[in-house]
Amino acid sequence: MAVIIETPNSPRTKKQANWEKYGWLFMRVSGPLLIVLVFTHLISNLVVGEGIKAIDFAFVAGKWADPFWQVWDLAMLWLAMIHGTNGMRTIVNDYAEHETVRKSLITILWAVCGLLVLLGTLVIFTFDPCPAGAAVELLPSFCPVN
Amino acid sequence: MATIPAGTLYRGRVGMWSWVLHRITGVGIFFFLLVHILDTALVRVSPEAYNVVIESYKTPIVGVAELGLVGAILFHGLNGLRVIAVDFWSKGTKFQALMFWAVMAITIVLVAAFTPVHLARVFGE
């Protein structure tokens, strides 16, 4: 199937919502938000304290005991996945030569995005910092000693 | 008099190379993000499962690769701000090359500052 490229200076003729424009705008709104979210994430996890050496189950449990970090990580998850998937979609649109390949890749991209956003959201909100039967030394200090 | 064309490489200078780097770093960060959501999801399996996998992030090879990841995130984020400036700031196109070098300078300085701190932890005891 041939791809029809409109003359760049011709006015928009389609009557539907301009999804390309909203996608373009989303990248420019989510980008600066992600800079704040991701760099705070990197500083708190890799720079302060013992950095990467301190990261284990108890570290994550300690962070998610605070709703602040739950909301922080949730916002980062959603914005980063949609921003990244939309960026990958742009690249697929640039390089995929066959229409069926292009459409298939974009469908796979959004399916993966949906699955990982759902998985991550469920993990953040159903997470148990003190799972029964787990070794006490692996758990955060606020867990009751069984 | 006809002249021979000097090759077909698009000579967009730093404007082109920033675009190339933005794509490469973006794709790299995207695939890391997929892995990172999956490894973090292991906290829902068991403390042991999460700890075993997160230990691999503290090994020398992955530890050094993390410097590349941090550098890629820094470049992509800062260059993204440059793209926004080019799109929305009236002087954006005039200063786009200067802003590219500012992005590179800030990225290099911050990676250079982070490297000894991070590697001391990765290679320390």
mmCIF file of all heavy atoms in Angstrom, chain A residues 24 28 35 39 46-47 49-53 55-57 60 77 81 88 91 94-95 116 126-127 138, chain B residues 23 27 30 33-34 37 43-44 47-48 50-51 54 57-58 66 74 77 81 83-84 87-88 121:
data_model
loop_
_atom_site.group_PDB
_atom_site.id
_atom_site.type_symbol
_atom_site.label_atom_id
_atom_site.label_comp_id
_atom_site.label_asym_id
_atom_site.label_seq_id
_atom_site.Cartn_x
_atom_site.Cartn_y
_atom_site.Cartn_z
ATOM 1 N N TRP A 24 2.624 15.020 19.976
ATOM 2 C CA TRP A 24 3.738 15.977 19.957
ATOM 3 C C TRP A 24 3.733 16.803 21.246
ATOM 4 O O TRP A 24 4.765 16.983 21.889
ATOM 5 C CB TRP A 24 3.560 16.884 18.735
ATOM 6 C CG TRP A 24 4.589 17.951 18.529
ATOM 7 C CD1 TRP A 24 5.749 17.850 17.828
ATOM 8 C CD2 TRP A 24 4.536 19.297 19.022
ATOM 9 N NE1 TRP A 24 6.427 19.035 17.857
ATOM 10 C CE2 TRP A 24 5.711 19.944 18.576
ATOM 11 C CE3 TRP A 24 3.622 20.016 19.791
ATOM 12 C CZ2 TRP A 24 5.996 21.277 18.880
ATOM 13 C CZ3 TRP A 24 3.905 21.355 20.088
ATOM 14 C CH2 TRP A 24 5.071 21.965 19.639
ATOM 15 N N ARG A 28 6.339 17.028 24.952
ATOM 16 C CA ARG A 28 6.904 18.268 25.479
ATOM 17 C C ARG A 28 6.396 18.619 26.873
ATOM 18 O O ARG A 28 7.022 19.414 27.581
ATOM 19 C CB ARG A 28 6.647 19.403 24.479
ATOM 20 C CG ARG A 28 7.674 19.388 23.349
ATOM 21 C CD ARG A 28 7.129 19.812 22.007
ATOM 22 N NE ARG A 28 8.118 19.600 20.951
ATOM 23 C CZ ARG A 28 8.336 18.424 20.364
ATOM 24 N NH1 ARG A 28 7.624 17.361 20.703
ATOM 25 N NH2 ARG A 28 9.257 18.294 19.436
ATOM 26 N N ILE A 35 11.999 14.781 33.761
ATOM 27 C CA ILE A 35 13.315 15.226 34.236
ATOM 28 C C ILE A 35 13.289 15.342 35.760
ATOM 29 O O ILE A 35 14.169 14.826 36.451
ATOM 30 C CB ILE A 35 13.705 16.564 33.574
ATOM 31 C CG1 ILE A 35 14.043 16.315 32.091
ATOM 32 C CG2 ILE A 35 14.896 17.209 34.295
ATOM 33 C CD1 ILE A 35 14.442 17.545 31.321
ATOM 34 N N PHE A 39 15.316 12.369 37.724
ATOM 35 C CA PHE A 39 16.554 12.786 38.385
ATOM 36 C C PHE A 39 16.428 12.711 39.900
ATOM 37 O O PHE A 39 17.402 12.386 40.585
ATOM 38 C CB PHE A 39 17.022 14.154 37.876
ATOM 39 C CG PHE A 39 17.618 14.053 36.493
ATOM 40 C CD1 PHE A 39 17.034 14.685 35.407
ATOM 41 C CD2 PHE A 39 18.715 13.237 36.268
ATOM 42 C CE1 PHE A 39 17.556 14.536 34.129
ATOM 43 C CE2 PHE A 39 19.246 13.076 34.993
ATOM 44 C CZ PHE A 39 18.653 13.733 33.917
ATOM 45 N N LEU A 46 20.729 6.372 43.758
ATOM 46 C CA LEU A 46 22.114 6.083 43.340
ATOM 47 C C LEU A 46 23.157 7.034 43.917
ATOM 48 O O LEU A 46 24.352 6.748 43.856
ATOM 49 C CB LEU A 46 22.236 6.107 41.807
ATOM 50 C CG LEU A 46 21.504 5.024 41.021
ATOM 51 C CD1 LEU A 46 21.791 5.165 39.534
ATOM 52 C CD2 LEU A 46 21.885 3.633 41.493
ATOM 53 N N VAL A 47 22.741 8.183 44.457
ATOM 54 C CA VAL A 47 23.740 9.160 44.905
ATOM 55 C C VAL A 47 23.793 9.245 46.430
ATOM 56 O O VAL A 47 24.842 8.999 47.032
ATOM 57 C CB VAL A 47 23.484 10.561 44.298
ATOM 58 C CG1 VAL A 47 24.503 11.564 44.815
ATOM 59 C CG2 VAL A 47 23.535 10.497 42.765
ATOM 60 N N GLY A 49 23.398 8.549 50.503
ATOM 61 C CA GLY A 49 23.636 7.358 51.328
ATOM 62 C C GLY A 49 24.668 6.441 50.706
ATOM 63 O O GLY A 49 25.718 6.902 50.272
ATOM 64 N N GLU A 50 24.321 5.158 50.658
ATOM 65 C CA GLU A 50 25.252 4.178 50.094
ATOM 66 C C GLU A 50 24.965 3.870 48.628
ATOM 67 O O GLU A 50 25.514 2.914 48.082
ATOM 68 C CB GLU A 50 25.186 2.886 50.908
ATOM 69 C CG GLU A 50 25.844 2.980 52.270
ATOM 70 C CD GLU A 50 25.862 1.629 52.945
ATOM 71 O OE1 GLU A 50 26.675 0.790 52.558
ATOM 72 O OE2 GLU A 50 25.014 1.406 53.827
ATOM 73 N N GLY A 51 24.074 4.651 48.005
ATOM 74 C CA GLY A 51 23.798 4.475 46.582
ATOM 75 C C GLY A 51 23.308 3.081 46.252
ATOM 76 O O GLY A 51 22.478 2.508 46.971
ATOM 77 N N ILE A 52 23.821 2.526 45.175
ATOM 78 C CA ILE A 52 23.328 1.249 44.663
ATOM 79 C C ILE A 52 23.520 0.112 45.662
ATOM 80 O O ILE A 52 22.735 -0.842 45.677
ATOM 81 C CB ILE A 52 23.996 0.922 43.306
ATOM 82 C CG1 ILE A 52 23.232 -0.199 42.607
ATOM 83 C CG2 ILE A 52 25.472 0.543 43.483
ATOM 84 C CD1 ILE A 52 23.264 -0.144 41.122
ATOM 85 N N LYS A 53 24.536 0.215 46.541
ATOM 86 C CA LYS A 53 24.810 -0.855 47.510
ATOM 87 C C LYS A 53 23.665 -1.018 48.507
ATOM 88 O O LYS A 53 23.496 -2.079 49.111
ATOM 89 C CB LYS A 53 26.108 -0.558 48.265
ATOM 90 C CG LYS A 53 27.364 -0.841 47.465
ATOM 91 C CD LYS A 53 27.663 -2.344 47.421
ATOM 92 C CE LYS A 53 28.779 -2.619 46.438
ATOM 93 N NZ LYS A 53 29.120 -4.032 46.316
ATOM 94 N N ILE A 55 20.450 -0.781 47.827
ATOM 95 C CA ILE A 55 19.170 -1.177 47.236
ATOM 96 C C ILE A 55 18.917 -2.671 47.401
ATOM 97 O O ILE A 55 19.702 -3.506 46.950
ATOM 98 C CB ILE A 55 19.091 -0.762 45.746
ATOM 99 C CG1 ILE A 55 19.237 0.755 45.623
ATOM 100 C CG2 ILE A 55 17.755 -1.215 45.137
ATOM 101 C CD1 ILE A 55 19.265 1.259 44.208
ATOM 102 N N ASP A 56 17.846 -2.989 48.100
ATOM 103 C CA ASP A 56 17.366 -4.369 48.256
ATOM 104 C C ASP A 56 15.873 -4.292 48.593
ATOM 105 O O ASP A 56 15.287 -3.210 48.542
ATOM 106 C CB ASP A 56 18.172 -5.119 49.335
ATOM 107 C CG ASP A 56 18.125 -4.428 50.691
ATOM 108 O OD1 ASP A 56 17.318 -3.489 50.863
ATOM 109 O OD2 ASP A 56 18.900 -4.816 51.578
ATOM 110 N N PHE A 57 15.277 -5.438 48.917
ATOM 111 C CA PHE A 57 13.842 -5.470 49.203
ATOM 112 C C PHE A 57 13.463 -4.492 50.314
ATOM 113 O O PHE A 57 12.482 -3.749 50.194
ATOM 114 C CB PHE A 57 13.406 -6.890 49.582
ATOM 115 C CG PHE A 57 11.937 -7.007 49.870
ATOM 116 C CD1 PHE A 57 11.021 -7.229 48.851
ATOM 117 C CD2 PHE A 57 11.462 -6.858 51.172
ATOM 118 C CE1 PHE A 57 9.664 -7.316 49.122
ATOM 119 C CE2 PHE A 57 10.096 -6.938 51.444
ATOM 120 C CZ PHE A 57 9.198 -7.173 50.414
ATOM 121 N N VAL A 60 13.289 -0.841 49.072
ATOM 122 C CA VAL A 60 12.067 -0.555 48.295
ATOM 123 C C VAL A 60 10.855 -0.505 49.229
ATOM 124 O O VAL A 60 10.005 0.394 49.130
ATOM 125 C CB VAL A 60 11.865 -1.612 47.190
ATOM 126 C CG1 VAL A 60 10.580 -1.333 46.396
ATOM 127 C CG2 VAL A 60 13.059 -1.628 46.240
ATOM 128 N N LEU A 77 6.209 5.822 36.318
ATOM 129 C CA LEU A 77 5.869 4.640 35.515
ATOM 130 C C LEU A 77 4.991 4.992 34.324
ATOM 131 O O LEU A 77 5.314 4.671 33.176
ATOM 132 C CB LEU A 77 5.145 3.615 36.416
ATOM 133 C CG LEU A 77 4.463 2.433 35.723
ATOM 134 C CD1 LEU A 77 5.499 1.417 35.272
ATOM 135 C CD2 LEU A 77 3.454 1.769 36.652
ATOM 136 N N MET A 81 6.562 5.298 30.488
ATOM 137 C CA MET A 81 6.140 4.269 29.538
ATOM 138 C C MET A 81 5.410 4.880 28.337
ATOM 139 O O MET A 81 5.641 4.480 27.196
ATOM 140 C CB MET A 81 5.245 3.223 30.221
ATOM 141 C CG MET A 81 6.001 2.084 30.891
ATOM 142 S SD MET A 81 7.239 1.267 29.849
ATOM 143 C CE MET A 81 6.222 0.476 28.611
ATOM 144 N N MET A 88 9.107 5.422 20.492
ATOM 145 C CA MET A 88 9.348 4.233 19.674
ATOM 146 C C MET A 88 8.404 4.214 18.471
ATOM 147 O O MET A 88 8.780 3.811 17.368
ATOM 148 C CB MET A 88 9.163 2.960 20.512
ATOM 149 C CG MET A 88 10.229 2.746 21.568
ATOM 150 S SD MET A 88 11.881 2.463 20.897
ATOM 151 C CE MET A 88 11.708 0.819 20.245
ATOM 152 N N ILE A 91 9.771 6.365 15.777
ATOM 153 C CA ILE A 91 10.878 5.715 15.081
ATOM 154 C C ILE A 91 10.352 4.650 14.112
ATOM 155 O O ILE A 91 10.807 4.553 12.971
ATOM 156 C CB ILE A 91 11.879 5.130 16.114
ATOM 157 C CG1 ILE A 91 12.554 6.282 16.861
ATOM 158 C CG2 ILE A 91 12.902 4.237 15.433
ATOM 159 C CD1 ILE A 91 13.437 5.857 18.017
ATOM 160 N N ASP A 94 9.090 6.171 11.061
ATOM 161 C CA ASP A 94 10.152 6.649 10.183
ATOM 162 C C ASP A 94 10.784 5.536 9.353
ATOM 163 O O ASP A 94 11.171 5.766 8.207
ATOM 164 C CB ASP A 94 11.259 7.324 11.003
ATOM 165 C CG ASP A 94 10.919 8.769 11.343
ATOM 166 O OD1 ASP A 94 9.866 9.251 10.883
ATOM 167 O OD2 ASP A 94 11.705 9.408 12.066
ATOM 168 N N TYR A 95 10.933 4.348 9.953
ATOM 169 C CA TYR A 95 11.753 3.334 9.287
ATOM 170 C C TYR A 95 10.999 2.136 8.734
ATOM 171 O O TYR A 95 11.539 1.428 7.878
ATOM 172 C CB TYR A 95 12.861 2.837 10.234
ATOM 173 C CG TYR A 95 13.775 3.951 10.697
ATOM 174 C CD1 TYR A 95 13.892 4.264 12.053
ATOM 175 C CD2 TYR A 95 14.507 4.700 9.783
ATOM 176 C CE1 TYR A 95 14.714 5.291 12.484
ATOM 177 C CE2 TYR A 95 15.336 5.726 10.206
ATOM 178 C CZ TYR A 95 15.439 6.020 11.556
ATOM 179 O OH TYR A 95 16.247 7.033 11.983
ATOM 180 N N LEU A 116 2.810 -3.474 30.857
ATOM 181 C CA LEU A 116 3.791 -3.090 31.873
ATOM 182 C C LEU A 116 3.258 -1.995 32.796
ATOM 183 O O LEU A 116 3.560 -1.989 33.987
ATOM 184 C CB LEU A 116 5.105 -2.665 31.210
ATOM 185 C CG LEU A 116 5.947 -3.831 30.695
ATOM 186 C CD1 LEU A 116 7.233 -3.332 30.053
ATOM 187 C CD2 LEU A 116 6.279 -4.814 31.799
ATOM 188 N N THR A 126 -0.479 -3.249 45.442
ATOM 189 C CA THR A 126 -0.776 -4.494 46.163
ATOM 190 C C THR A 126 0.456 -4.994 46.913
ATOM 191 O O THR A 126 0.456 -6.077 47.472
ATOM 192 C CB THR A 126 -1.248 -5.609 45.193
ATOM 193 O OG1 THR A 126 -0.148 -5.968 44.338
ATOM 194 C CG2 THR A 126 -2.434 -5.155 44.365
ATOM 195 N N PHE A 127 1.516 -4.158 46.919
ATOM 196 C CA PHE A 127 2.783 -4.547 47.534
ATOM 197 C C PHE A 127 2.643 -4.717 49.049
ATOM 198 O O PHE A 127 2.045 -3.884 49.721
ATOM 199 C CB PHE A 127 3.810 -3.460 47.212
ATOM 200 C CG PHE A 127 5.116 -3.632 47.895
ATOM 201 C CD1 PHE A 127 5.920 -4.722 47.596
ATOM 202 C CD2 PHE A 127 5.547 -2.716 48.842
ATOM 203 C CE1 PHE A 127 7.139 -4.889 48.227
ATOM 204 C CE2 PHE A 127 6.772 -2.872 49.469
ATOM 205 C CZ PHE A 127 7.562 -3.959 49.166
ATOM 206 N N LEU A 138 15.553 -9.900 55.887
ATOM 207 C CA LEU A 138 15.382 -9.322 54.552
ATOM 208 C C LEU A 138 14.331 -8.219 54.542
ATOM 209 O O LEU A 138 14.158 -7.529 53.538
ATOM 210 C CB LEU A 138 14.970 -10.409 53.546
ATOM 211 C CG LEU A 138 15.939 -11.574 53.345
ATOM 212 C CD1 LEU A 138 15.385 -12.550 52.322
ATOM 213 C CD2 LEU A 138 17.311 -11.085 52.908
ATOM 214 N N ARG B 23 17.753 9.838 19.457
ATOM 215 C CA ARG B 23 17.103 8.573 19.096
ATOM 216 C C ARG B 23 17.777 7.391 19.770
ATOM 217 O O ARG B 23 17.107 6.532 20.355
ATOM 218 C CB ARG B 23 17.183 8.357 17.577
ATOM 219 C CG ARG B 23 16.311 9.285 16.822
ATOM 220 C CD ARG B 23 15.698 8.629 15.630
ATOM 221 N NE ARG B 23 14.418 9.295 15.463
ATOM 222 C CZ ARG B 23 13.604 9.137 14.453
ATOM 223 N NH1 ARG B 23 13.921 8.296 13.493
ATOM 224 N NH2 ARG B 23 12.463 9.768 14.397
ATOM 225 N N VAL B 27 15.993 5.000 22.586
ATOM 226 C CA VAL B 27 15.728 3.567 22.417
ATOM 227 C C VAL B 27 16.391 2.769 23.548
ATOM 228 O O VAL B 27 15.789 1.875 24.139
ATOM 229 C CB VAL B 27 16.226 3.069 21.033
ATOM 230 C CG1 VAL B 27 16.152 1.555 20.935
ATOM 231 C CG2 VAL B 27 15.406 3.702 19.916
ATOM 232 N N PHE B 30 14.463 3.213 26.729
ATOM 233 C CA PHE B 30 13.179 2.503 26.627
ATOM 234 C C PHE B 30 13.340 1.031 26.997
ATOM 235 O O PHE B 30 12.576 0.499 27.806
ATOM 236 C CB PHE B 30 12.605 2.637 25.216
ATOM 237 C CG PHE B 30 11.335 1.863 24.985
ATOM 238 C CD1 PHE B 30 10.125 2.325 25.482
ATOM 239 C CD2 PHE B 30 11.343 0.665 24.278
ATOM 240 C CE1 PHE B 30 8.946 1.616 25.279
ATOM 241 C CE2 PHE B 30 10.177 -0.056 24.070
ATOM 242 C CZ PHE B 30 8.980 0.432 24.570
ATOM 243 N N LEU B 33 14.005 0.554 30.592
ATOM 244 C CA LEU B 33 12.772 0.773 31.360
ATOM 245 C C LEU B 33 11.913 -0.494 31.411
ATOM 246 O O LEU B 33 11.389 -0.857 32.471
ATOM 247 C CB LEU B 33 11.989 1.940 30.747
ATOM 248 C CG LEU B 33 10.634 2.289 31.366
ATOM 249 C CD1 LEU B 33 10.777 2.679 32.826
ATOM 250 C CD2 LEU B 33 9.982 3.424 30.586
ATOM 251 N N LEU B 34 11.808 -1.197 30.279
ATOM 252 C CA LEU B 34 11.038 -2.452 30.258
ATOM 253 C C LEU B 34 11.630 -3.444 31.262
ATOM 254 O O LEU B 34 10.905 -4.049 32.060
ATOM 255 C CB LEU B 34 11.048 -3.078 28.856
ATOM 256 C CG LEU B 34 10.485 -2.262 27.689
ATOM 257 C CD1 LEU B 34 10.453 -3.118 26.421
ATOM 258 C CD2 LEU B 34 9.091 -1.743 27.991
ATOM 259 N N ILE B 37 11.076 -2.273 35.016
ATOM 260 C CA ILE B 37 9.725 -2.491 35.557
ATOM 261 C C ILE B 37 9.577 -3.965 35.940
ATOM 262 O O ILE B 37 9.046 -4.299 37.002
ATOM 263 C CB ILE B 37 8.647 -2.067 34.538
ATOM 264 C CG1 ILE B 37 8.672 -0.553 34.348
ATOM 265 C CG2 ILE B 37 7.253 -2.507 35.018
ATOM 266 C CD1 ILE B 37 7.832 -0.062 33.183
ATOM 267 N N VAL B 43 9.479 -7.590 43.614
ATOM 268 C CA VAL B 43 9.183 -7.356 45.035
ATOM 269 C C VAL B 43 7.837 -7.992 45.400
ATOM 270 O O VAL B 43 7.584 -8.296 46.560
ATOM 271 C CB VAL B 43 9.149 -5.846 45.430
ATOM 272 C CG1 VAL B 43 10.512 -5.204 45.246
ATOM 273 C CG2 VAL B 43 8.066 -5.089 44.671
ATOM 274 N N ARG B 44 7.000 -8.185 44.376
ATOM 275 C CA ARG B 44 5.680 -8.782 44.595
ATOM 276 C C ARG B 44 5.767 -10.315 44.639
ATOM 277 O O ARG B 44 4.817 -10.980 45.069
ATOM 278 C CB ARG B 44 4.739 -8.331 43.467
ATOM 279 C CG ARG B 44 3.261 -8.474 43.729
ATOM 280 C CD ARG B 44 2.790 -7.580 44.836
ATOM 281 N NE ARG B 44 1.422 -7.904 45.195
ATOM 282 C CZ ARG B 44 1.068 -8.945 45.939
ATOM 283 N NH1 ARG B 44 1.987 -9.770 46.380
ATOM 284 N NH2 ARG B 44 -0.205 -9.157 46.216
ATOM 285 N N PRO B 47 10.938 -11.354 48.787
ATOM 286 C CA PRO B 47 12.151 -10.580 49.056
ATOM 287 C C PRO B 47 13.387 -11.251 48.455
ATOM 288 O O PRO B 47 14.254 -10.568 47.902
ATOM 289 C CB PRO B 47 12.233 -10.549 50.587
ATOM 290 C CG PRO B 47 10.822 -10.716 51.038
ATOM 291 C CD PRO B 47 10.184 -11.630 50.028
ATOM 292 N N GLU B 48 13.457 -12.583 48.526
ATOM 293 C CA GLU B 48 14.624 -13.311 48.005
ATOM 294 C C GLU B 48 14.753 -13.116 46.494
ATOM 295 O O GLU B 48 15.839 -12.831 45.984
ATOM 296 C CB GLU B 48 14.510 -14.814 48.306
ATOM 297 C CG GLU B 48 14.701 -15.179 49.768
ATOM 298 C CD GLU B 48 13.416 -15.050 50.581
ATOM 299 O OE1 GLU B 48 12.379 -14.613 50.018
ATOM 300 O OE2 GLU B 48 13.440 -15.369 51.788
ATOM 301 N N TYR B 50 13.640 -10.713 44.562
ATOM 302 C CA TYR B 50 14.062 -9.339 44.232
ATOM 303 C C TYR B 50 15.540 -9.137 44.541
ATOM 304 O O TYR B 50 16.290 -8.596 43.712
ATOM 305 C CB TYR B 50 13.211 -8.317 44.999
ATOM 306 C CG TYR B 50 13.600 -6.893 44.671
ATOM 307 C CD1 TYR B 50 13.175 -6.294 43.492
ATOM 308 C CD2 TYR B 50 14.421 -6.159 45.528
ATOM 309 C CE1 TYR B 50 13.554 -4.995 43.164
ATOM 310 C CE2 TYR B 50 14.802 -4.862 45.219
ATOM 311 C CZ TYR B 50 14.361 -4.288 44.037
ATOM 312 O OH TYR B 50 14.740 -3.011 43.720
ATOM 313 N N ASN B 51 15.967 -9.578 45.723
ATOM 314 C CA ASN B 51 17.360 -9.354 46.132
ATOM 315 C C ASN B 51 18.353 -10.048 45.214
ATOM 316 O O ASN B 51 19.402 -9.496 44.903
ATOM 317 C CB ASN B 51 17.566 -9.811 47.579
ATOM 318 C CG ASN B 51 16.955 -8.834 48.576
ATOM 319 O OD1 ASN B 51 16.456 -7.774 48.194
ATOM 320 N ND2 ASN B 51 16.978 -9.194 49.845
ATOM 321 N N ILE B 54 18.454 -7.943 41.958
ATOM 322 C CA ILE B 54 19.016 -6.596 42.132
ATOM 323 C C ILE B 54 20.516 -6.663 42.419
ATOM 324 O O ILE B 54 21.248 -5.701 42.155
ATOM 325 C CB ILE B 54 18.242 -5.802 43.222
ATOM 326 C CG1 ILE B 54 18.191 -4.310 42.862
ATOM 327 C CG2 ILE B 54 18.843 -5.979 44.602
ATOM 328 C CD1 ILE B 54 17.337 -3.976 41.661
ATOM 329 N N TYR B 57 22.773 -5.801 39.579
ATOM 330 C CA TYR B 57 23.007 -4.381 39.291
ATOM 331 C C TYR B 57 24.264 -3.868 39.993
ATOM 332 O O TYR B 57 24.765 -2.796 39.705
ATOM 333 C CB TYR B 57 21.815 -3.531 39.752
ATOM 334 C CG TYR B 57 20.643 -3.539 38.792
ATOM 335 C CD1 TYR B 57 19.712 -4.566 38.813
ATOM 336 C CD2 TYR B 57 20.466 -2.504 37.887
ATOM 337 C CE1 TYR B 57 18.644 -4.576 37.943
ATOM 338 C CE2 TYR B 57 19.396 -2.496 37.016
ATOM 339 C CZ TYR B 57 18.483 -3.541 37.044
ATOM 340 O OH TYR B 57 17.419 -3.544 36.175
ATOM 341 N N LYS B 58 24.765 -4.648 40.973
ATOM 342 C CA LYS B 58 25.933 -4.207 41.749
ATOM 343 C C LYS B 58 27.209 -4.881 41.284
ATOM 344 O O LYS B 58 28.257 -4.697 41.886
ATOM 345 C CB LYS B 58 25.687 -4.500 43.241
ATOM 346 C CG LYS B 58 24.395 -3.877 43.766
ATOM 347 C CD LYS B 58 24.030 -4.386 45.154
ATOM 348 C CE LYS B 58 22.623 -3.964 45.545
ATOM 349 N NZ LYS B 58 22.184 -4.566 46.816
ATOM 350 N N GLU B 66 25.970 1.136 34.078
ATOM 351 C CA GLU B 66 25.056 2.125 34.667
ATOM 352 C C GLU B 66 25.546 3.556 34.447
ATOM 353 O O GLU B 66 24.733 4.482 34.369
ATOM 354 C CB GLU B 66 24.888 1.840 36.169
ATOM 355 C CG GLU B 66 23.864 0.741 36.421
ATOM 356 C CD GLU B 66 24.168 -0.091 37.661
ATOM 357 O OE1 GLU B 66 25.013 0.319 38.468
ATOM 358 O OE2 GLU B 66 23.556 -1.156 37.804
ATOM 359 N N LEU B 74 20.876 11.631 31.132
ATOM 360 C CA LEU B 74 21.234 13.057 31.223
ATOM 361 C C LEU B 74 21.173 13.719 29.848
ATOM 362 O O LEU B 74 20.558 14.776 29.678
ATOM 363 C CB LEU B 74 22.640 13.210 31.810
ATOM 364 C CG LEU B 74 22.745 13.178 33.327
ATOM 365 C CD1 LEU B 74 24.203 12.989 33.755
ATOM 366 C CD2 LEU B 74 22.194 14.468 33.933
ATOM 367 N N GLY B 77 17.462 13.880 28.495
ATOM 368 C CA GLY B 77 16.653 14.864 29.221
ATOM 369 C C GLY B 77 17.040 16.294 28.874
ATOM 370 O O GLY B 77 16.189 17.127 28.555
ATOM 371 N N LEU B 81 15.081 19.294 26.593
ATOM 372 C CA LEU B 81 14.817 20.701 26.930
ATOM 373 C C LEU B 81 15.260 21.615 25.786
ATOM 374 O O LEU B 81 14.607 22.613 25.481
ATOM 375 C CB LEU B 81 15.548 21.080 28.227
ATOM 376 C CG LEU B 81 15.034 20.436 29.512
ATOM 377 C CD1 LEU B 81 15.890 20.884 30.689
ATOM 378 C CD2 LEU B 81 13.569 20.805 29.765
ATOM 379 N N VAL B 83 15.271 20.775 22.595
ATOM 380 C CA VAL B 83 14.255 20.624 21.549
ATOM 381 C C VAL B 83 13.046 21.517 21.860
ATOM 382 O O VAL B 83 12.521 22.202 20.976
ATOM 383 C CB VAL B 83 13.817 19.147 21.420
ATOM 384 C CG1 VAL B 83 12.588 19.006 20.519
ATOM 385 C CG2 VAL B 83 14.965 18.293 20.879
ATOM 386 N N ILE B 84 12.637 21.529 23.137
ATOM 387 C CA ILE B 84 11.499 22.365 23.545
ATOM 388 C C ILE B 84 11.837 23.849 23.318
ATOM 389 O O ILE B 84 11.002 24.617 22.821
ATOM 390 C CB ILE B 84 11.125 22.094 25.023
ATOM 391 C CG1 ILE B 84 10.552 20.676 25.150
ATOM 392 C CG2 ILE B 84 10.117 23.124 25.535
ATOM 393 C CD1 ILE B 84 10.348 20.206 26.575
ATOM 394 N N ASP B 87 11.543 24.660 19.740
ATOM 395 C CA ASP B 87 10.146 24.717 19.304
ATOM 396 C C ASP B 87 9.397 25.953 19.805
ATOM 397 O O ASP B 87 8.563 26.511 19.099
ATOM 398 C CB ASP B 87 9.386 23.472 19.788
ATOM 399 C CG ASP B 87 9.727 22.240 18.954
ATOM 400 O OD1 ASP B 87 10.337 22.396 17.892
ATOM 401 O OD2 ASP B 87 9.364 21.130 19.374
ATOM 402 N N PHE B 88 9.659 26.360 21.054
ATOM 403 C CA PHE B 88 8.803 27.376 21.672
ATOM 404 C C PHE B 88 9.475 28.726 21.917
ATOM 405 O O PHE B 88 8.797 29.720 22.174
ATOM 406 C CB PHE B 88 8.258 26.859 23.019
ATOM 407 C CG PHE B 88 7.276 25.728 22.876
ATOM 408 C CD1 PHE B 88 7.633 24.428 23.215
ATOM 409 C CD2 PHE B 88 5.993 25.963 22.396
ATOM 410 C CE1 PHE B 88 6.730 23.387 23.087
ATOM 411 C CE2 PHE B 88 5.076 24.926 22.267
ATOM 412 C CZ PHE B 88 5.445 23.629 22.607
ATOM 413 N N ARG B 121 31.598 2.463 45.075
ATOM 414 C CA ARG B 121 30.617 1.553 45.689
ATOM 415 C C ARG B 121 30.606 0.211 44.983
ATOM 416 O O ARG B 121 30.544 -0.837 45.626
ATOM 417 C CB ARG B 121 29.220 2.180 45.626
ATOM 418 C CG ARG B 121 29.068 3.345 46.582
ATOM 419 C CD ARG B 121 27.879 4.204 46.178
ATOM 420 N NE ARG B 121 27.748 5.341 47.079
ATOM 421 C CZ ARG B 121 27.024 6.406 46.809
ATOM 422 N NH1 ARG B 121 26.370 6.483 45.671
ATOM 423 N NH2 ARG B 121 26.941 7.395 47.664
#
